[in-house]
Amino acid sequence: MTAVARWLSRVLPGLAWAGVLALLPWWLGLPLLLLSALGAVWFDRRAVRHAELCRRALRWGLPGLLFAVQRALGGDLLAWGAALLGALVGFSLVVLLESLLDHRVRRTPAAKASPEWSELAMAPVGPPAHIIELTRADWQLATADFVDATGTARFEATGDGLGRYVFAQGQVIDKASPRYCSSPGGRWFAANLPGGRGEILWDRQGHRTHRLGGWQLSGWDGEQPWLAASSDAAPAPLHEVLGQLPRP
């Protein structure tokens, strides 16, 4: 599929959806738009493909809804002004929602820090006065052909929102979602397990792959991944996570 064909396959459904909401009465289009927003939140960590479809429906549907609103108000100058004001507010809310979904990093307040995390922070591990400051994971959605940190790669869909990654180095990662990211220096590649139930980490230098069910990537300390057992748990470096996993 050429780049133009891929672009059309993404844009044409969005234009059609915007046209449908523009033709519908605004009081019918508004609930559909709200359902898209709820779907983006609900599917965010459950079904990545569905979450992305809901996000696209929200982005493309908002202009159609605003056109329906100005048409209902009479289509005069005042109606267009109200529609433009609604566009400013609506797109600001959409950007805020996507920012919260993409970049949410929940930090445990110092007053509620667990004893284990306090002991870990105080332990004399690593170089003196080294402050752990995680760089957030920049998650992206893989396409059939994409460029990752070390070159070109390919994502082959196998159904149910899953597929496999094929890299130029010959590495293949099966049974993964299309949501992926790389460490800042490109040493590590990470992808979600099916249903967002954990992470797959591939160490390009060490030539090792880890499938970590029940763990979420919190961010990167340099080139080292830190993970947490839940969004409210304190993050831990990979070697500690591997030490907590049952031995095969």
Side-chain angles (χ1 to χ4, degrees):
M1 183 181 294
T2 65
V4 174
R6 287 199 298 269
W7 182 80
L8 289 176
S9 67
R10 294 171 63 89
V11 172
L12 290 180
L15 291 175
W17 174 243
V20 169
L21 291 188
L23 295 176
L24 286 174
W26 70 268
W27 47 268
L28 282 179
L30 180 60
L32 294 177
L33 210 62
L34 292 177
L35 285 176
S36 299
L38 291 175
V41 175
W42 176 257
F43 291 119
D44 181 51
R45 291 183 177 272
R46 296 173 175 84
V48 176
R49 186 174 296 274
H50 293 161
E52 181 63 22
L53 289 176
C54 290
R55 290 195 189 190
R56 290 183 188 175
L58 191 59
R59 296 188 207 109
W60 287 96
L62 184 57
L65 177 65
L66 293 173
F67 185 85
V69 169
Q70 68 83 26
R71 188 183 61 195
L73 293 176
D76 56 8
L77 187 60
L78 181 61
W80 279 106
L84 291 176
L85 179 61
L88 178 62
V89 175
F91 280 109
S92 297
L93 292 176
V94 170
V95 170
L96 177 61
L97 175 63
E98 293 194 345
S99 177
L100 291 175
L101 292 178
D102 289 338
H103 310 306
R104 58 182 177 183
V105 177
R106 300 186 180 181
R107 301 178 183 271
T108 305
K112 298 181 180 179
S114 64
E116 294 79 11
W117 176 240
S118 300
E119 294 172 3
L120 178 62
M122 297 294 291
V125 178
H130 177 63
I131 300 175
I132 303 299
E133 193 168 353
L134 299 182
T135 303
R136 70 170 181 85
D138 186 17
W139 292 103
Q140 301 181 56
L141 198 64
T143 56
D145 296 296
F146 65 96
V147 179
D148 75 329
T150 60
T152 58
R154 186 171 70 254
F155 180 80
E156 299 174 354
T158 57
D160 296 328
L162 302 177
R164 64 175 185 171
Y165 293 88
V166 181
F167 297 89
Q169 301 93 325
Q171 175 73 13
V172 176
I173 299 178
D174 289 310
K175 298 178 181 178
S177 79
R179 192 165 179 258
Y180 77 96
C181 69
S182 295
S183 60
R187 172 177 175 176
W188 290 89
F189 176 88
N192 288 152
L193 283 169
R197 294 190 297 269
E199 313 289 7
I200 303 173
L201 293 176
W202 171 38
D203 182 1
R204 291 184 171 98
Q205 293 184 10
H207 306 290
R208 291 184 178 181
T209 302
H210 308 284
R211 304 180 77 92
L212 306 173
W215 290 88
Q216 301 173 8
L217 180 62
S218 299
W220 311 96
D221 176 33
E223 282 298 289
Q224 294 303 314
W226 282 58
L227 304 100
S230 68
S231 57
D232 296 322
L238 178 62
H239 68 271
E240 291 192 16
V241 172
L242 294 177
Q244 297 179 37
L245 297 178
R247 294 186 179 181

